Amino acid sequence: MDKRIKVRLRDRVRFETSAETENEYGEKETTWSEYLTCSAEVMPLSATERVVSGQEISEAHYTIRIRSNSANRSIHGLMRAVFDGQVLDISPPQKLSGRNQYIEFRAVQRSSDQ
């Protein structure tokens, strides 16, 4: 049995890490900086919309697969991904079966309209 996973790394994804800084008024601000940009396969899974307290909230769920290497293995769930101009919250990575070639993330894009 051949259990190879066919992955098409056709998309570009930027992973960003956060840092807390203080502005000139002493308030804490979260700033995001680029950690890594790499080729990936981004697969849409599902999308939902609902109304909460009179506010429409939509969520789109994705799976992101990237090639495994030393820099990519240090991506964690406190980072975020930017794909096609959309900010995605990512979950901790999952290793795929095989020879540790790819890493997979679940990602959610959230938006709200008032």
Side-chain angles (χ1 to χ4, degrees):
M1 277 192 230
D2 191 13
K3 294 186 178 184
R4 291 186 187 177
I5 299 170
K6 293 185 181 185
V7 178
R8 294 183 175 92
L9 304 176
R10 297 180 179 173
D11 304 309
R12 296 294 288 171
V13 175
R14 182 177 72 236
F15 291 93
E16 297 180 341
T17 185
S18 66
E20 274 199 8
T21 59
E22 283 190 11
N23 62 14
E24 64 261 15
Y25 303 108
E27 300 168 330
K28 291 185 179 181
E29 288 183 338
T30 302
T31 57
W32 293 90
S33 60
E34 181 177 342
Y35 173 74
L36 173 75
T37 299
C38 63
S39 296
E41 181 179 20
V42 180
M43 300 165 286
L45 296 176
S46 65
T48 59
E49 291 184 357
R50 62 181 186 257
V51 176
V52 177
S53 299
Q55 188 173 12
E56 185 179 320
I57 298 174
S58 61
E59 288 184 350
H61 297 262
Y62 297 90
T63 296
I64 301 172
R65 285 187 186 150
I66 60 174
R67 189 173 307 280
S68 178
N69 63 35
S70 60
N72 294 351
R73 282 192 288 273
S74 60
I75 296 172
H76 52 81
L78 297 177
M79 294 180 171
R80 70 181 187 182
V82 179
F83 166 68
D84 200 24
Q86 302 174 24
V87 175
L88 308 172
D89 297 326
I90 60 173
S91 65
Q94 301 172 345
K95 293 178 184 172
L96 297 177
S97 62
R99 296 167 52 203
N100 202 17
Q101 292 180 324
Y102 298 100
I103 301 172
E104 185 173 278
F105 300 90
R106 299 283 187 239
V108 179
Q109 185 239 345
R110 296 179 175 92
S111 65
S112 61
D113 296 326
Q114 295 183 3

